[in-house]
Amino acid sequence: MTQEQMIAFNDYMDELLADEKIKQMSEFIQHGDTTCLMHCKAVAYESAVLAYKFNIKVDMKSLIRGALLHDYFLYDWHDQKLGSFHGFYHPGIALRNAMRDYDLTEIEIDIIRKHMFPLTIYPPKYRETIIVCLMDKYCSLREVFGKLFRKKLCNA
């Protein structure tokens, strides 16, 4: 990202990150030892990088806000009865929480609701949703398997 793009990215991030409610996400582990907040920040960053790198026309503010809120479910899914069904249900829970706490655009709603496609049956409607959907999977794989690969490389 250029310096100008990075400043805009940080401005959009800081707007939500200043809110105490979103900081609750740091209390819950998402993947491995990565918190939900760390994961969502990574997804927002990677989504912005992808959009800028390939010059994809997006509503950057909605892209970043949607990415930050896509896993705003606010519970430890490892301890829940939902268990393996968490992947199917958490987008709706995250959306309900986000709609309760924030004013959302249509794009942000679509991102949160559909970021788990194809587990959730409705396909993304916007470019921003497709980008977050892809970067969520990329970041998740990196968080889950990153330590394994680093460990193997160090022991080789």
Side-chain angles (χ1 to χ4, degrees):
M1 276 193 265
T2 67
Q3 185 174 2
E4 182 179 307
Q5 292 167 336
M6 196 66 190
I7 290 169
F9 172 80
N10 285 325
D11 286 346
Y12 295 143
M13 292 277 285
D14 291 346
E15 185 178 312
L16 271 181
L17 293 175
D19 190 333
E20 289 299 317
K21 290 176 276 195
I22 203 163
K23 292 177 184 176
Q24 294 175 58
M25 293 170 64
S26 65
E27 299 171 17
F28 306 104
I29 295 296
Q30 178 67 319
H31 306 116
D33 59 358
T34 303
T35 68
C36 285
L37 185 58
M38 290 167 51
H39 168 73
C40 289
K41 287 166 75 173
V43 171
Y45 176 79
E46 296 295 348
S47 295
V49 167
L50 182 73
Y52 284 133
K53 182 174 184 174
F54 293 101
N55 202 27
I56 302 169
K57 291 184 180 183
V58 296
D59 175 342
M60 189 57 70
K61 183 174 183 177
S62 289
L63 175 79
I64 292 165
R65 285 173 51 90
L68 274 175
L69 293 168
H70 82 274
D71 280 339
Y72 190 61
F73 47 82
L74 304 176
Y75 61 83
D76 182 356
W77 67 269
H78 303 90
D79 294 338
Q80 296 295 314
K81 292 178 183 175
L82 294 174
S84 60
F85 295 107
H86 167 77
F88 295 95
Y89 295 120
H90 81 271
I93 296 166
L95 180 59
R96 186 179 63 234
N97 291 342
M99 290 178 77
R100 176 193 67 212
D101 294 340
Y102 302 101
D103 292 325
L104 303 175
T105 67
E106 282 187 38
I107 294 171
E108 293 162 1
I109 291 169
D110 199 64
I111 289 169
I112 299 165
R113 178 181 286 143
K114 299 175 183 175
H115 77 272
M116 288 299 291
F117 182 79
L119 284 182
T120 53
I121 60 172
Y122 300 106
K125 182 177 178 181
Y126 300 100
R127 287 183 207 108
E128 293 86 350
T129 310
I130 294 168
I131 291 169
V132 171
C133 189
L134 292 171
M135 293 301 98
D136 179 43
K137 281 131 185 81
Y138 166 72
C139 290
S140 297
L141 287 169
R142 189 175 64 194
E143 292 159 9
V144 171
F145 295 110
K147 276 189 171 182
L148 175 67
F149 291 128
R150 285 191 298 275
K151 188 175 182 178
K152 282 187 175 186
L153 288 172
C154 292
N155 293 331

